[in-house]
Amino acid sequence: MDQAVREQEFTEFAIARAEKLRRTAFLLCGDWHRAQDLTQISLAKAYAAWHRIHGDRAVEAYVRQIIVREFLSQQRRRSWHEQPSDALPEQALDGGQERAELRLSLLAALARLAPKRRAVVVLRYWEDRSVEETASVLRMSRSAVKSASLRALADLRVLLDEDLRV
């Protein structure tokens, strides 16, 4: 296949899916700027492999897998860690204040989970992936995914309960 055609196909894919991929990255890392970086890194890696994967129906799944693995890889690197701030920027509140507060509490609790458990929760419940798909992406056994899911949900319940009491 001609290089120009491959580049055009990749460009169309990236434009169509970038925002959805960035949302997944945000759920993993909890920071829009870092999510953008994860998305760009993943798309760059997908571009390098485009000659192999462009005809596959699972291209988006392949790129999501790159995002998850890149996130976990960055979590292992000590130099990447940033210290979160306790102060949130002021935002205008509308009629959905209660829902927004709950969403913020959920995202804050999600950010406090261990990286692997966070990845399991995002893939299983936000991305609505099966146990098998999650196990494949994270290179875990099915039973390890089930166990991590149960523990992560229990951790989230505790964290949310603490947040909602305050």
Side-chain angles (χ1 to χ4, degrees):
M1 176 177 277
D2 182 53
Q3 178 69 18
V5 173
R6 276 199 303 259
E7 285 182 11
Q8 179 65 29
E9 286 178 349
F10 176 79
T11 301
E12 289 171 4
F13 168 80
I15 289 170
R17 305 292 195 315
E19 191 58 35
K20 195 172 178 186
L21 294 168
R22 190 170 75 109
R23 270 181 286 199
T24 298
F26 172 76
L27 291 170
L28 289 169
C29 68
D31 178 90
W32 284 111
H33 298 290
R34 193 163 159 217
Q36 183 66 33
D37 290 345
L38 283 169
T39 304
Q40 288 177 359
I41 290 167
S42 300
L43 286 172
K45 288 182 178 185
Y47 178 76
W50 195 253
H51 64 282
R52 284 181 303 145
I53 65 170
H54 75 281
D56 192 354
R57 291 182 303 176
V59 172
E60 188 171 347
Y62 180 85
V63 178
R64 285 180 194 280
Q65 186 171 19
I66 295 171
I67 289 172
V68 171
R69 289 182 179 164
E70 186 65 27
F71 164 73
L72 293 173
S73 173
Q74 289 176 357
Q75 291 302 110
R76 286 189 288 268
R77 293 184 214 137
R78 291 200 176 274
S79 63
W80 184 262
H81 289 291
E82 296 177 4
Q83 296 299 320
S85 170
D86 288 336
L88 291 173
E90 287 188 34
Q91 295 180 350
L93 299 176
D94 56 22
Q97 177 180 356
E98 196 170 297
R99 187 172 176 203
E101 288 175 2
L102 180 59
R103 183 175 178 87
L104 287 174
S105 294
L106 182 58
L107 290 174
L110 187 64
R112 291 168 54 193
L113 288 178
K116 196 80 152 194
R117 288 185 183 177
R118 186 178 330 152
V120 168
V121 169
V122 168
L123 291 172
R124 285 282 293 130
Y125 303 104
W126 255 290
E127 293 284 321
D128 198 28
R129 291 182 180 233
S130 68
V131 171
E132 292 78 16
E133 289 174 317
T134 303
S136 174
V137 169
L138 297 176
R139 295 180 180 157
M140 297 170 69
S141 68
R142 291 178 57 220
S143 60
V145 169
K146 290 178 182 179
S147 177
S149 296
L150 289 173
R151 289 185 179 118
L153 291 175
D155 291 349
L156 275 176
R157 284 185 192 100
V158 169
L159 294 168
L160 286 170
D161 192 40
E162 290 172 4
D163 285 350
L164 295 176
R165 281 190 210 162
V166 174

